[in-house]
Amino acid sequence: MSDSLNPNFYDQNAETSTLTNPTLVLNCGSSSIKYALISEDNSIRITGLAENLGLDTARIKHTTINGDKLEISIPGGRHKLALQKILELLEQYHFIAVGHRVVHGGREYSEAVRVDEHVLDEVKRLKILAPLHNPAHALGIEAVQAIYPEIPQVVVFDTAFHQTMPPVAFRYPVPKALYEEHKIRRYGFHGTSHAYVSERASEITQTKGPHGWLTAHLGNGCSATAVYDGKSLDTSMGLTPLEGLMMGTRSGDVDPSLHMHLKRQLDMSLEDIDAMLNKESGLLGISGLSNDLRTVEEAANEGHQDAKLAIEMFCYRVGKYLASLSCALPELTGIVFTGGIGENSVTTRTRILEVMRHFGIKVDANKNAGLFGGSEGSFHAEDSHLELWVVPTDEECRIAQETREALSLI
């Protein structure tokens, strides 16, 4: 359904009374805004995505409370205009709070906090660590303030969940002054996802706690975390989201001297090298085809050698990282897969676990084959040393929950 001629469309026939005390969750990216309006009991939600912001193809794809699809064209529209249209679409539901996903919270924030002038200033200041994301998050906060100044807002930081890591895990072996004066350390990301799936795994397992989970968030961005008794003890991403696993377009771990080598040999600038490692590497860089694993897998099945290598490298590096992160856990209950790849690629899960062949893992192939497209469940055999789970992530639900907790609405 297209509604480009009527951008002030409302869900006129919606049963607004069923959406009780909803929380609006906003995830403002560099060129997109993902949003969800979630009822107090998490049972009902309205979702949407504003994409291609700043381009002629900018549009809002909205799903109403009844499941109807709506598309609003906003050619050339940027974050401010998109947010205005989104808030118009949702204002009839009288949301009571807004929760923002913010990528970087530095080391000051270990939990979600209500927005005030200081918090907003910190979100802006930390653009030095997340230049593509934090400025967009700040725009989202300010846009809501301008239209609904009376509605409380909360920021939920990707990094906050990892603030429980001990110094042995978060410190880098570099001069102490870099940590104390410039806050150079491992922060970790995808915190809301790792928090949600590890908590959910502990709810559905029959093993008595406390539980030790290795959580693998695998999508275009990838990270792994060691979670014990609900706390992050170590994670793969670091000062920035570039460190750690091989991803869709990010390289993950490389020799730190690669920058200097490429500067000397190819006269590449730091900016060019940084762009290459973030946007031209990973599955895309190795396969030469795509950052989408589905496309790479299809090519590999047709005999494309670089595509085969890309998949082998991806699975090997994930398995190696999970194995190393197990060292952080007092006890290891099992492994939880999530994210677009983790939830849907049966063969990728199998290949990753084959890398971890010394862990006594045994896969129930039939159960594994049935876990895709939003399915939740276990796929370990009865005699497996470790539990294996697929838990679809729900970062919006987690952000809404933390927003309500920060405002004492729970």
Side-chain angles (χ1 to χ4, degrees), residues 45-323:
R45 68 181 66 186
I46 297 169
T47 61
L49 173 69
E51 60 184 0
N52 304 328
L53 298 182
L55 303 176
D56 290 341
T57 54
R59 60 184 177 176
I60 297 172
K61 298 165 73 174
H62 181 80
T63 302
T64 72
I65 196 170
N66 297 318
D68 296 327
K69 304 294 184 182
L70 166 72
E71 186 171 307
I72 299 172
S73 178
I74 49 172
R78 298 185 181 276
H79 288 76
K80 186 175 181 180
L81 176 61
L83 282 163
Q84 288 174 347
K85 297 299 182 186
I86 290 167
L87 293 172
E88 286 174 5
L89 285 166
L90 301 175
E91 65 178 351
Q92 64 179 305
Y93 297 102
H94 308 296
F95 46 91
I96 62 171
V98 181
H100 297 264
R101 179 229 181 186
V102 176
V103 166
H104 221 303
R107 64 181 183 183
E108 178 176 344
Y109 298 107
S110 58
E111 59 185 4
V113 294
R114 182 168 182 164
V115 172
D116 58 22
E117 187 175 349
H118 171 70
V119 171
L120 180 55
D121 287 344
E122 280 296 287
V123 171
K124 292 178 178 178
R125 185 184 66 81
L126 288 165
K127 71 179 182 181
I128 191 171
L129 295 176
L132 294 179
H133 296 92
N134 272 40
H137 303 322
L139 283 174
I141 294 169
E142 291 175 329
V144 175
Q145 281 180 338
I147 301 172
Y148 296 108
E150 76 286 355
I151 291 184
Q153 299 188 75
V154 170
V155 286
V156 180
F157 298 100
D158 259 7
T159 51
F161 180 62
H162 301 295
Q163 288 296 301
T164 52
M165 289 190 296
V168 68
F170 73 68
R171 285 286 295 273
Y172 288 120
V174 296
K176 187 177 181 180
L178 289 176
Y179 169 67
E180 294 186 335
E181 298 174 20
H182 302 286
K183 303 178 176 61
I184 304 300
R185 52 159 287 178
R186 173 176 283 108
Y187 287 100
F189 299 89
H190 292 146
T192 52
S193 178
H194 291 294
Y196 177 84
V197 300
S198 59
E199 183 178 274
R200 179 62 182 156
S202 288
E203 290 173 352
I204 55 182
T205 182
Q206 294 184 356
T207 301
K208 292 183 178 180
H211 303 115
W213 300 109
L214 295 174
T215 54
H217 178 108
L218 308 177
N220 188 49
C222 301
S223 64
T225 297
V227 183
Y228 184 73
D229 198 19
K231 296 179 175 61
S232 171
L233 298 185
D234 201 355
T235 192
S236 58
M237 285 180 167
L239 175 71
T240 74
L242 181 59
E243 185 179 358
L245 306 181
M246 177 177 166
M247 310 180 209
T249 64
R250 295 184 187 126
S251 65
D253 290 347
V254 295
D255 188 328
S257 290
L258 178 63
H259 289 72
M260 184 60 70
H261 179 77
L262 293 176
K263 168 64 178 173
R264 288 171 175 164
Q265 296 297 312
L266 302 178
D267 197 29
M268 292 179 68
S269 68
L270 288 176
E271 291 74 18
D272 287 342
I273 297 167
D274 185 65
M276 178 195 72
L277 294 176
N278 276 285
K279 300 177 180 180
E280 302 169 11
S281 300
L283 288 170
L284 173 62
I286 298 300
S287 71
L289 298 172
S290 175
N291 63 312
D292 190 320
L293 182 69
R294 292 167 296 186
T295 301
V296 178
E297 281 185 330
E298 185 177 334
N301 292 335
E302 294 173 355
H304 193 289
Q305 293 303 308
D306 288 337
K308 287 183 179 179
L309 177 60
I311 293 170
E312 290 171 2
M313 287 178 62
F314 180 86
C315 295
Y316 173 70
R317 289 167 74 102
V318 173
K320 183 173 73 168
Y321 236 111
L322 289 172

Side-chain angles (χ1 to χ4, degrees), residues 388-400:
L388 305 171
W389 291 89
V390 171
V391 177
T393 193
D394 193 342
E395 294 176 86
E396 288 78 19
C397 178
R398 179 75 186 197
I399 292 168

Side-chain angles (χ1 to χ4, degrees), residues 292-368:
D292 190 320
L293 182 69
R294 292 167 296 186
T295 301
V296 178
E297 281 185 330
E298 185 177 334
N301 292 335
E302 294 173 355
H304 193 289
Q305 293 303 308
D306 288 337
K308 287 183 179 179
L309 177 60
I311 293 170
E312 290 171 2
M313 287 178 62
F314 180 86
C315 295
Y316 173 70
R317 289 167 74 102
V318 173
K320 183 173 73 168
Y321 236 111
L322 289 172
S324 67
L325 284 171
S326 70
C327 298
L329 296 172
E331 295 179 23
L332 176 52
T333 308
I335 303 170
V336 186
F337 291 91
T338 195
I341 296 172
E343 296 169 23
N344 294 296
S345 181
V346 174
T347 56
T348 299
R349 293 195 297 260
T350 301
R351 287 170 173 153
I352 289 168
L353 295 171
E354 287 172 350
V355 174
M356 303 177 70
R357 54 192 173 277
H358 306 302
F359 282 70
I361 295 169
K362 294 187 179 180
V363 174
D364 184 317
N366 290 328
K367 287 183 178 180
N368 188 29

